[in-house]
């Protein structure tokens, strides 16, 4: 049975990562993001077809997220070595090129399981995207079928709405009127 994560503390994690420079490895935990917003996204596998379109689009938009005091972390069930190889593969050869955020390795599949996106029988994650606030509370979760890529523009819009602290109607954008409770 699916469990609601929104409004609860985000599940804790610690994972090894391949840094976006394609050279270094590191380790990351949820606590590393305390005091910042985090866009945590899961994707199925390295060296696939839809995934690089999302990952590179998020990387290209990283300056927008940085301006919103938000970090980005990508996660799949591949190894940090596979991540590094994909980052070091040229874009015209189905690679990523350098990224502006790390890719985390969830080899045990425990993080994907804790976030409710693991396809157990395949051992891979669905396309889950989560926005976690600076206090570690889950503010947003969305899960897509693996055939459909996510919208960076919509992720930015949702993040801005969450950061506004107000009641935001459908299709709200910064500068537009918010709703008032009656």
């Amino acid at each position: 049975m699916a469990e609601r994560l929104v409004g609860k503390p985000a599940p804790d994690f610690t994972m090894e990562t391949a840094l976006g420079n394609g050279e270094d490895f590191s380790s990351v935990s949820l606590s590393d993001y305390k005091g910042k917003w985090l866009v945590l996204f899961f994707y199925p596998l390295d060296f696939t077809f839809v995934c690089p379109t999302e990952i590179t689009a998020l990387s290209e938009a990283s300056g927008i997220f940085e301006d919103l005091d938000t970090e980005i972390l990508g996660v799949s069930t591949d190894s940090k070595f596979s991540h590094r190889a994909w980052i070091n593969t040229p874009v015209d050869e189905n690679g990523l090129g350098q990224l502006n955020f790390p890719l985390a390795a969830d080899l045990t599949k425990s993080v994907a399981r804790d976030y409710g996106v693991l396809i157990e029988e395949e051992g891979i994650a669905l396309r889950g995207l989560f926005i976690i606030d600076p206090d570690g509370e889950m503010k947003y979760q969305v899960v897509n079928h693996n055939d459909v890529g996510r919208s960076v523009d919509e992720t930015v819009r949702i993040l801005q709405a969450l950061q506004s602290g107000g009641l935001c109607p459908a299709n709200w954008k910064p500068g537009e009127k918010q709703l008032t409770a009656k």
Side-chain angles (χ1 to χ4, degrees):
M1 175 178 291
E3 181 182 335
R4 170 186 64 87
L5 295 176
V6 171
K8 296 181 178 183
D12 198 15
F13 60 79
T14 299
M15 295 177 281
E16 293 185 314
T17 65
L19 299 183
N21 64 14
E23 296 175 16
D24 300 317
F25 295 120
S26 189
S27 149
V28 67
S29 297
L30 180 60
S31 62
D32 295 334
Y33 298 100
K34 187 164 180 56
K36 288 195 168 251
W37 289 81
L38 173 62
V39 170
L40 175 70
F41 72 96
F42 292 82
Y43 63 94
L45 290 168
D46 293 349
F47 294 99
T48 55
F49 305 100
V50 177
C51 298
T53 67
E54 292 183 308
I55 294 168
T56 57
L58 279 164
S59 185
E60 290 166 4
S62 66
I64 296 168
F65 290 98
E66 186 176 315
D67 290 345
L68 295 169
D69 198 28
T70 303
E71 300 284 334
I72 304 169
L73 178 62
V75 183
S76 82
T77 57
D78 295 295
S79 74
K80 66 183 181 181
F81 301 105
S82 178
H83 292 336
R84 181 170 66 182
W86 200 23
I87 291 167
N88 286 322
T89 300
V91 173
D92 62 354
E93 294 176 25
N94 196 34
L96 295 174
Q98 294 207 342
L99 300 174
N100 295 312
F101 54 83
L103 296 180
D106 182 21
L107 282 175
T108 66
K109 300 166 183 48
S110 62
V111 181
R113 189 174 291 114
D114 289 348
Y115 279 77
V117 296
L118 183 64
I119 304 172
E120 293 279 351
E121 59 276 11
E122 296 179 38
I124 63 171
L126 287 163
R127 294 187 195 287
L129 187 137
F130 303 86
I131 298 178
I132 302 166
D133 79 4
D135 296 320
E137 181 182 333
M138 185 70 67
K139 293 293 191 178
Y140 179 77
Q141 72 182 77
V142 64
V143 180
N144 289 24
H145 188 279
N146 281 341
D147 290 349
V148 179
R150 292 159 283 203
S151 167
V152 172
D153 291 340
E154 178 64 0
T155 301
V156 170
R157 187 191 77 80
I158 293 291
L159 177 62
Q160 291 169 322
L162 290 168
Q163 290 181 346
S164 78
L167 299 174
C168 300
N171 301 317
W172 176 90
K173 291 184 178 133
E176 294 181 354
K177 186 177 178 183
Q178 293 180 325
L179 303 173
T180 56
K182 296 182 183 188

